[in-house]
Amino acid sequence: MRATVLPAATALALLGVVFGQNPSYQQDPKWRAPAEAVAKPNPLAQKPEATAGGIKLFQRNCVECHGAGGIGLEKKHAADLQLPAVQQQSDGALFWKITNGNTDRGMPSFSRLPELQRWQLVLYLRTLKPANEPQSKASAK
């Protein structure tokens, strides 16, 4: 009995990920960070150990809409944070988006979080990769 329960539970978990993902996500073309924000470097870029704090912050503040792997939940119309359209943005642009939000699309502002915590979230976002792509250490852009 135990041998069949584990594979069944794994299959259900995978189905939840697949069907929870937001395959129809389209980035808002009007939601662009200003040039000065885009150019802003991540002060934690050389401190990959700070990513652990970003993981905790993501779990506390972001999983509800973006899902545990950052794939974006369709029912929340949330961004798939693994997509190249997200990952190719600079650290400064991601920081600006986390800080300011996009209330027209349901993304709240996280300006209430201390600045370094928002930078930790950016570090963590850099680790999000599709399942078929190898995980890498946080990289500065």
Side-chain angles (χ1 to χ4, degrees):
M1 166 110 175
R2 186 178 181 121
T4 59
V5 172
L6 187 55
T10 303
L12 285 174
L14 288 172
L15 284 173
V17 169
V18 170
F19 290 111
Q21 185 175 6
N22 188 2
S24 63
Y25 171 72
Q26 295 292 317
Q27 189 171 351
D28 181 352
K30 296 179 277 181
W31 193 35
R32 296 194 182 273
E36 63 272 10
V38 171
K40 192 171 186 175
N42 187 336
L44 301 176
Q46 301 305 315
K47 298 182 180 187
E49 65 277 6
T51 304
I55 293 168
K56 291 177 185 176
L57 290 161
F58 188 85
Q59 290 171 342
R60 191 176 317 135
N61 297 288
C62 311
V63 166
E64 179 182 340
C65 295
H66 293 285
I71 58 174
L73 301 179
E74 190 168 19
K75 68 180 179 178
K76 296 283 190 168
H77 308 287
D80 180 339
L81 302 174
Q82 298 178 0
L83 290 174
V86 175
Q87 291 293 322
Q88 291 170 358
Q89 295 179 51
S90 72
D91 283 0
L94 294 173
F95 177 84
W96 182 88
K97 289 181 174 188
I98 291 167
T99 300
N100 293 287
N102 185 358
T103 54
D104 290 343
R105 297 280 294 260
M107 168 72 179
S109 163
F110 286 93
S111 60
R112 63 178 165 72
L113 293 176
E115 183 174 335
L116 286 178
Q117 288 185 352
R118 286 177 270 147
W119 284 117
Q120 283 181 296
L121 278 168
V122 173
L123 282 180
Y124 175 65
L125 294 183
R126 293 290 179 218
T127 70
L128 298 176
K129 304 284 183 240
N132 60 351
E133 209 175 293
Q135 293 287 327
S136 64
K137 292 185 180 180
S139 62
K141 289 205 174 191

